[in-house]
Amino acid sequence: DTGVSQNPRHKITKRGQNVTFRCDPISEHNRLYWYRQTLGQGPEFLTYFQNEAQLEKSRLLSDRFSAERPKGSFSTLEIQRTEQGDSAMYLCASSVYSGSSYNEQFFGPGTRLTVL
Amino acid sequence: DAKTTQPPSMDCAEGRAANLPCNHSTISGNEYVYWYRQIHSQGPQYIIHGLKNNETNEMASLIITEDRKSSTLILPHATLRDTAVYYCIPSGGATNKLIFGTGTLLAVQP
């Protein structure tokens, strides 16, 4: 399968622990986006990368959140000192951007985080 | 970011056309209208997009009004597998980030 993959699919952690999620985009997709989705709501934009550069971060992304895409391929999203409010589905999407406005995003299956 | 208004839910009989409306009266001139859907417990799936003209692909048709303030997604022959939340999203510019609303839950009935 050559789609977007995310690992782990589920993560249960205790409040105060650190967690890290991984996203592997579709090969040769230069853009990678992170979103968060809570129950009953649509996904919310968190941040995005073009190649290895992080170009925008949402106000939702507090100092406890950090994302990297070191070689312009896979990306990691780390949450430090987790809180119960961090419980959500974390979605990754990738796309090809070549300068035009059109930009179809392909989403992964998500990582469901539960903070106890 | 343009705001959208969609009905929270709609029903459709299997085999009939599903017409999902969206109001996006504050859309900017350089923003496309994207439609995504999300089947329960899966990531969103791209359906179709358009700028000014009507568009059709293997999944759906998109009708955009001349003033671009609203659009309608048409699934010509809905099946049970089309039951999902459908999101209408104006997006464009350099980031192309997607700002999701709460969407329309389409329930296809047998």
Side-chain angles (χ1 to χ4, degrees):
Chain A
D1 189 296
T2 57
V4 178
S5 62
Q6 293 187 245
N7 288 289
R9 294 291 309 277
H10 303 274
K11 178 70 176 179
I12 300 174
T13 191
K14 293 182 179 179
R15 184 164 52 95
Q17 298 294 304
N18 298 344
V19 294
T20 300
F21 311 139
R22 176 177 170 127
C23 171
D24 287 89
I26 293 173
S27 179
E28 298 180 0
H29 277 196
N30 55 357
R31 282 209 170 169
L32 188 148
Y33 299 79
W34 285 98
Y35 295 83
R36 180 174 69 186
Q37 184 173 26
T38 54
L39 205 59
Q41 303 298 313
E44 299 170 298
F45 168 78
L46 292 179
T47 187
Y48 88 99
F49 293 83
Q50 182 157 315
N51 300 312
E52 66 275 7
Q54 187 174 19
L55 297 187
E56 184 173 338
K57 293 193 289 187
S58 163
R59 292 190 307 271
L60 295 172
L61 213 62
S62 77
D63 291 345
R64 296 184 298 104
F65 288 71
S66 63
E68 294 183 339
R69 195 182 183 200
K71 297 182 180 179
S73 56
F74 73 91
S75 176
T76 57
L77 178 67
E78 180 183 16
I79 309 174
Q80 296 183 325
R81 305 180 303 280
T82 53
E83 303 173 356
Q84 289 184 324
D86 297 331
S87 295
M89 175 76 85
Y90 289 84
L91 293 160
C92 174
S94 70
S95 69
V96 175
Y97 180 73
S98 58
S100 71
S101 296
Y102 166 48
N103 185 18
E104 171 191 347
Q105 294 183 26
F106 295 82
F107 283 80
T111 294
R112 180 166 296 285
L113 173 66
T114 302
V115 182
L116 302 176
Chain B
D1 299 322
K3 297 197 181 301
T4 60
T5 303
Q6 297 180 254
S9 64
M10 294 182 63
D11 289 338
C12 178
E14 189 176 19
R16 305 297 294 269
N19 295 270
L20 293 92
C22 179
N23 180 289
H24 37 76
S25 58
T26 61
I27 191 169
S28 299
N30 67 342
E31 288 183 318
Y32 286 75
V33 180
Y34 292 82
W35 283 81
Y36 283 76
R37 72 180 183 184
Q38 188 171 26
I39 296 169
H40 183 61
S41 296
Q42 296 183 20
Q45 176 191 22
Y46 166 83
I47 301 172
I48 197 168
H49 76 285
L51 186 63
K52 294 190 278 192
N53 301 318
N54 298 339
E55 302 288 344
T56 295
N57 64 19
E58 64 278 5
M59 289 183 69
S61 294
L62 175 60
I63 310 297
I64 303 174
T65 58
E66 192 170 344
D67 63 8
R68 299 203 337 117
K69 292 184 177 181
S70 65
S71 61
T72 301
L73 179 74
I74 301 171
L75 306 179
H77 307 287
T79 70
L80 298 179
R81 286 192 299 270
D82 292 322
T83 292
V85 178
Y86 288 76
Y87 297 99
C88 155
I89 308 169
S91 180
T95 70
N96 287 121
K97 63 187 178 186
L98 299 174
I99 307 298
F100 290 79
T102 51
T104 296
L105 174 57
L106 175 69
V108 181
Q109 310 289 347

